[in-house]
């Protein structure tokens, strides 16, 4: 069955960087667009970024544009999120998700918690 | 940017009740709307896509309707396992996705 497993979360100081990974199995990873979605503690879902199946296009939410970079390695079936200049308000559980026809988020990982605090 | 609103923000209902949640878009999004269920501590799960299509394996007690700016999500007979937060999500301005703020459903 499809599994998406995030890793790389932790506690980091404001202004520092962190890289999240999402390891995929059970699907032909190179065929799927991939997304990051986050959820601040006690809050709703916020879409963060998307990368095309081949890595050719990337788009970001306004709150992370210019600070976060989404990337993928199809040879390793892995999605990444490089987060720079982290802010306290970036504190959240970060989920990776695969899309279907670019329109729905079909499979989700269980999330990894990022805490930005001094 | 397209803004999504949901109402109510929370509700309490009894087992067996019919539960209805509404989602409104700030502009016409045709039927480009999905519904997700999220239980505490878990990842969201897709229930309804394209406003009214039931995802494979999802019980038929869940349904969705609407088009344009106004959408409805219904649970025909609430069960304890349906306690969760429900989110709508639009994809009219791909590749950007926008979620509604969520509706928390619990038992009375």
């Amino acid at each position: 069955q499809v599994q998406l497993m995030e890793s790389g979360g932790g506690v980091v100081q404001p202004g520092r960087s962190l890289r999240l990974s999402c390891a995929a199995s059970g699907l032909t990873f190179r065929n799927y667009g991939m997304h990051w979605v986050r959820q601040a503690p006690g809050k709703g879902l916020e879409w963060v970024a998307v990368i095309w199946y081949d890595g050719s296009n990337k788009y970001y939410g306004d709150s992370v544009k210019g600070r976060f970079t989404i990337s993928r390695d199809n040879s390793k079936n892995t999605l990444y999120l490089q987060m720079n200049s982290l802010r306290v308000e970036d504190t959240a559980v970060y989920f990776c998700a695969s899309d279907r026809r670019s329109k729905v988020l079909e499979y989700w990982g269980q999330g990894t918690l990022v805490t930005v605090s001094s | 940017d397209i803004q999504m609103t949901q109402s109510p923000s929370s509700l309490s209902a009894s087992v067996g009740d019919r539960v209805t949640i509404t989602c409104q878009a700030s502009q016409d999004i045709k039927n480009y709307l999905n519904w997700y269920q999220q239980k505490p501590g878990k990842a969201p799960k897709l229930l309804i896509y394209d406003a009214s299509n039931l995802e494979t394996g999802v019980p038929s007690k869940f349904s969705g309707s609407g088009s344009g700016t106004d959408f409805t999500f219904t649970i025909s007979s609430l069960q304890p396992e349906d306690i969760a937060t429900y989110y709508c999500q639009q994809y009219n301005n791909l590749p950007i996705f926008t979620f509604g703020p969520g509706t928390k459903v619990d038992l009375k």
Side-chain angles (χ1 to χ4, degrees):
Chain A
Q1 83 264 26
V2 176
Q3 280 198 320
L4 301 176
M5 182 72 71
E6 303 91 342
S7 61
V11 181
V12 62
Q13 292 179 327
R16 304 298 290 264
S17 299
L18 203 62
R19 188 177 84 155
L20 306 182
S21 299
C22 169
S25 60
L27 77 169
T28 306
F29 182 71
R30 65 181 180 274
N31 289 348
Y32 288 85
M34 296 295 297
H35 301 247
W36 288 99
V37 175
R38 70 184 181 181
Q39 186 169 38
K43 302 297 184 182
L45 301 171
E46 180 187 11
W47 178 83
V48 172
V50 60
I51 185 168
W52 257 223
Y53 68 99
D54 59 356
S56 60
N57 285 290
K58 307 171 186 181
Y59 297 89
Y60 301 90
D62 288 342
S63 62
V64 306
K65 205 173 294 183
R67 300 187 299 122
F68 289 12
T69 302
I70 190 171
S71 62
R72 65 190 298 159
D73 186 337
N74 285 347
S75 68
K76 296 182 178 179
N77 291 344
T78 303
L79 173 73
Y80 303 100
L81 185 67
Q82 177 67 42
M83 304 185 294
N84 298 332
S85 303
L86 281 161
R87 305 167 179 168
V88 170
E89 55 265 34
D90 295 320
T91 295
V93 174
Y94 286 74
F95 297 98
C96 62
S98 63
D99 73 36
R100 187 173 75 210
R101 300 179 296 121
S102 300
K103 297 176 180 178
V104 303
L105 298 174
E106 184 175 18
Y107 300 111
W108 296 68
Q110 286 307 299
T112 186
L113 176 62
V114 173
T115 302
V116 185
S117 173
S118 54
Chain B
D1 289 3
I2 298 174
Q3 307 300 319
M4 306 299 294
T5 58
Q6 285 183 237
S7 61
S9 57
S10 65
L11 66 90
S12 294
S14 300
V15 172
D17 281 354
R18 183 180 184 87
V19 169
T20 299
I21 298 167
T22 63
C23 175
Q24 189 168 56
S26 59
Q27 64 188 71
D28 185 349
I29 60 169
K30 307 172 187 68
N31 68 329
Y32 299 158
L33 186 99
N34 305 318
W35 289 95
Y36 299 83
Q37 175 194 65
Q38 186 182 31
K39 296 182 178 180
K42 300 294 186 181
K45 174 186 175 183
L46 176 66
L47 299 182
I48 303 286
Y49 65 94
D50 295 347
S52 61
N53 293 299
L54 194 67
E55 176 70 353
T56 302
V58 173
S60 59
K61 62 181 172 180
F62 298 106
S63 64
S65 64
S67 66
T69 61
D70 296 300
F71 301 86
T72 300
F73 172 82
T74 300
I75 307 172
S76 61
S77 178
L78 186 71
Q79 299 302 309
E81 62 267 26
D82 303 328
I83 301 311
T85 300
Y86 294 85
Y87 295 92
C88 60
Q89 171 249 314
Q90 69 84 21
Y91 57 91
N92 184 67
N93 58 336
L94 286 175
I96 308 298
F97 286 12
T98 308
F99 290 94
T103 296
K104 186 176 182 180
V105 176
D106 59 31
L107 283 175
K108 191 179 293 182

